């Protein structure tokens, strides 16, 4: 039976990493996958994580199963991190969180729950969006819709287009929103625009599902949670799929969470019981290690401060490399003004390079980036910036 399978195409993001590693050129540059890298291309384990892991090795007494929804202390800490300790919905027990295996796992659980337990059928994605979004929700069975998000000529959010398209959504549709640091464009709505979006979701009875994979990479943890917190004040129901891959540098531990907000405690508990059914059928209960690390760090003040300082270092290095890229591109050529890259937020720059130019960069110079022209900024350093800007200039 297996001979019916044709070769699947390489993954548009993770496949790039494979191609990069197979490339023998010594001056190749990896700007593909969204992972943090230091000036010397390392993705180190954070000090707060290392310390916690040492503590866990000494103190962990068992490897028994976690419960279906995961580690209770973790779920509590995550809820507080996302909404702030004082958020009324937490005290009202309308907000419930389950641990999930990474952001992808969280999105898939949310999708399965909304489709099979709630009866949602249509899901709206920004155009463009993270390459895996469509695959995740199509696999669930959703009918996919797209809303305009970005103006490629003006290199900025097309908010009018976004509102216009979402006006077409019907009651009961799910709208996927990026909480901050939109992937791939780096263009986020302003506070005022988020307010309009919340109003629209409420008026049209749409269910907002936030993908929060980059909290802490724009301005700071609290600032970057603005939309999540504001929506929770305004709409009766919402969901959040959160990932700690990036902000805890815990990529291979698969540590994330899925939260739901309901109009009252009873509805929240009933809905959560169905979410747990989804989890049980998908992977039974989540892996423990990464969540225990995160929970311990968030519970211990000193470790939490250390982690936040390390996160700040990552954010600042990316900002420095972003500035270097803008300066470099603007100095090697005069036909385009690249200042817009400086206004984008988070791990990525949406460069405006075409798929053909991206391919040329890969074949001619060993520079790897996503076909949409998305550059993972942390792959830039002071040693490769010259080659990068010269190579880009040569394909313009
Ligand atoms: C990315 O967008 O590069 C990351 O979220 C990694 C991934 O899984 O695609």
């Amino acid at each position: 039976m297996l001979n019916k399978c044709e070769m699947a195409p390489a993954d548009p993001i993770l496949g790039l990493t494979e191609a990069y590693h197979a490339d023998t050129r010594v001056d190749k540059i990896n700007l593909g996958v969204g992972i943090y890298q230091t000036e010397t291309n390392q993705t180190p384990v954070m000090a707060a994580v290392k310390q916690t892991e040492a503590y866990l090795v000494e103190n962990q007494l068992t490897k028994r199963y976690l419960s279906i929804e995961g580690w209770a202390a973790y779920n509590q800490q995550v809820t507080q991190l996302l909404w702030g300790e004082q958020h009324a919905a937490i005290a009202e027990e309308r907000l419930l969180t389950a641990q999930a295996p990474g952001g992808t796992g969280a999105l898939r659980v949310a999708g399965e729950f909304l489709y099979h337990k709630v009866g949602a059928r249509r899901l709206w994605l920004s155009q463009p969006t993270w390459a895996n979004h469509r695959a995740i929700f199509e696999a669930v069975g959703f009918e996919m819709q797209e809303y305009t998000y970005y103006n490629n000529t003006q290199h900025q959010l097309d908010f009018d287009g976004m509102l216009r398209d979402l006006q077409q959504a019907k009651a009961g549709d799910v709208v996927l929103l990026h909480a901050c640091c939109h992937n791939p464009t780096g263009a986020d709505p302003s506070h005022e625009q988020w307010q309009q979006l919340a109003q629209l979701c409420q008026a049209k009875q749409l269910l907002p599902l936030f993908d929060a994979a980059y909290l802490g990479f724009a301005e700071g943890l609290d600032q970057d949670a603005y939309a999540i917190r504001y929506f929770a004040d305004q709409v009766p129901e919402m969901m959040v799929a959160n990932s700690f891959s990036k902000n805890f540098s815990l990529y291979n531990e698969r540590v994330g969470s899925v939260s739901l907000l309901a109009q009252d405690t009873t509805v929240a508990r009933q809905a959560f019981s169905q979410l747990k059914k989804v989890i049980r059928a998908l992977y039974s209960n989540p892996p423990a290690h990464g969540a225990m690390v995160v929970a311990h760090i968030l519970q211990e003040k000193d470790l939490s401060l250390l982690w936040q300082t390390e996160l700040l270092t990552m954010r600042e290095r990316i900002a420095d490399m972003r500035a270097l890229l803008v300066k470099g591109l603007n100095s090697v050529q005069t036909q385009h003004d690249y200042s817009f890259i400086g206004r984008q937020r988070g791990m990525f720059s949406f460069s405006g390079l075409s798929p053909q130019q991206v391919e040329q960069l890969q074949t001619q110079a060993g520079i790897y980036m996503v076909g949409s022209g998305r550059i993972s900024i942390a792959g830039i350093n002071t040693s490769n910036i010259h080659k990068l800007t010269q190579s880009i200039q040569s394909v313009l």
Side-chain angles (χ1 to χ4, degrees):
M1 288 158 74
L2 301 189
N3 60 7
K4 290 180 188 148
C5 291
E6 285 173 15
M7 200 64 174
D11 184 82
I13 298 178
L14 299 185
L16 278 179
T17 309
E18 291 166 28
Y20 169 81
H21 287 307
D23 192 327
T24 51
R25 283 170 283 192
V26 284
D27 61 347
K28 61 189 176 178
I29 306 177
N30 188 5
L31 308 176
V33 67
I35 53 166
Y36 179 74
Q37 298 178 63
T38 62
E39 168 70 18
T40 52
N41 288 136
Q42 307 300 308
T43 305
V45 181
M46 291 172 102
V49 169
K50 273 274 180 214
Q51 287 182 27
T52 303
E53 289 184 317
Y55 169 86
L56 288 178
V57 166
E58 282 304 314
N59 293 283
Q60 203 171 39
L61 298 176
T62 181
K63 294 281 186 188
R64 281 201 304 232
Y65 290 125
L66 296 187
S67 56
I68 295 173
E69 72 269 35
W71 185 238
Y74 170 83
N75 292 335
Q76 187 191 1
Q77 291 297 327
V78 172
T79 311
Q80 291 177 1
L81 184 77
L82 293 178
W83 278 275
E85 282 175 41
Q86 305 303 328
H87 203 283
I90 299 179
E92 292 159 14
E93 295 179 42
R94 296 192 295 122
L95 199 46
L96 295 172
T97 296
Q99 188 188 324
T104 300
L107 288 163
R108 183 67 186 257
V109 169
E112 296 284 344
F113 165 73
L114 290 168
Y115 189 92
H116 293 289
K117 306 295 184 185
V118 178
R121 285 293 176 269
R122 297 211 307 176
L123 187 140
W124 293 76
L125 293 178
S126 65
Q127 164 49 33
T129 193
W130 177 47
N132 210 21
H133 276 151
R134 177 173 279 275
I136 292 169
F137 295 106
E138 264 178 4
V140 173
F142 275 102
E143 179 196 325
M144 308 304 295
Q145 299 285 327
E146 287 184 339
Y147 59 87
T148 301
Y149 191 77
Y150 194 72
N151 183 318
N152 283 309
T153 321
Q154 289 169 2
H155 303 288
Q156 62 185 25
L157 176 70
D158 180 353
F159 190 65
D160 290 341
M162 184 179 186
L163 283 185
R164 187 191 58 232
D165 290 350
L166 287 177
Q167 285 296 345
Q168 309 304 313
K170 298 192 211 122
D173 285 1
V174 181
V175 182
L176 188 91
L177 299 160
H178 299 225
C180 68
C181 309
H182 183 269
N183 178 5
T185 68
D188 291 334
S190 66
H191 285 191
E192 236 169 53
Q193 290 167 335
W194 278 125
Q195 290 161 17
Q196 287 186 58
L197 288 167
Q199 205 180 10
L200 182 134
C201 287
Q202 196 185 3
K204 295 192 70 71
Q205 296 180 295
L206 313 177
L207 191 124
L209 164 58
F210 280 94
D211 183 351
Y214 295 92
L215 290 185
F217 282 90
E219 291 168 50
L221 289 162
D222 288 325
Q223 295 94 320
D224 296 355
Y226 173 81
I228 291 176
R229 294 177 187 183
Y230 181 81
F231 269 62
D233 289 335
Q234 303 298 319
V235 300
E237 298 180 339
M238 67 187 279
M239 293 193 75
V240 176
N242 164 62
S243 165
F244 288 128
S245 295
K246 328 278 173 173
N247 50 18
F248 274 87
S249 246
L250 280 169
Y251 304 91
N252 65 18
E253 298 294 353
R254 310 313 294 142
V255 48
S257 61
V258 54
S259 304
L260 63 82
L261 172 81
Q263 57 204 6
D264 62 43
T265 314
T266 310
V267 178
R269 286 194 186 144
Q270 287 170 357
F272 199 70
S273 72
Q274 294 294 340
L275 187 104
K276 283 167 61 176
K277 290 272 173 218
V278 166
I279 292 174
R280 175 69 169 141
L282 281 174
Y283 51 84
S284 189
N285 53 78
H289 181 73
M292 287 186 171
V293 169
V294 169
H296 186 74
I297 292 173
L298 294 177
Q299 279 169 321
E300 297 294 322
K301 199 158 177 254
D302 290 352
L303 284 170
S304 183
L305 286 175
L306 174 59
W307 164 62
Q308 287 179 43
T309 311
E310 294 184 275
L311 178 57
L312 176 67
T313 305
M314 295 200 280
R315 179 163 77 241
E316 287 181 346
R317 196 188 105 70
I318 293 173
D320 288 350
M321 291 307 109
R322 185 183 287 289
L324 205 61
L325 178 63
V326 174
K327 194 165 154 227
L329 286 175
N330 282 344
S331 66
V332 291
Q333 53 81 51
T334 49
Q335 64 275 44
H336 301 280
D337 175 13
Y338 278 99
S339 323
F340 66 87
I341 288 180
R343 293 189 287 275
Q344 297 170 345
R345 291 148 48 100
M347 250 194 189
F348 304 115
S349 116
F350 203 49
S351 64
L353 291 166
S354 68
Q356 293 75 11
Q357 289 167 326
V358 168
E359 201 182 313
Q360 271 177 291
L361 285 168
Q362 188 171 322
T363 46
Q364 292 169 13
I367 297 174
Y368 290 78
M369 60 180 76
V370 179
S372 63
R374 186 193 84 170
I375 291 174
S376 182
I377 302 257
I380 301 175
N381 55 50
T382 52
S383 314
N384 66 23
I385 184 71
H386 180 72
K387 170 178 167 165
L388 174 63
T389 50
Q390 293 289 334
S391 305
I392 292 178
Q393 194 267 337
S394 73
V395 301
L396 289 179

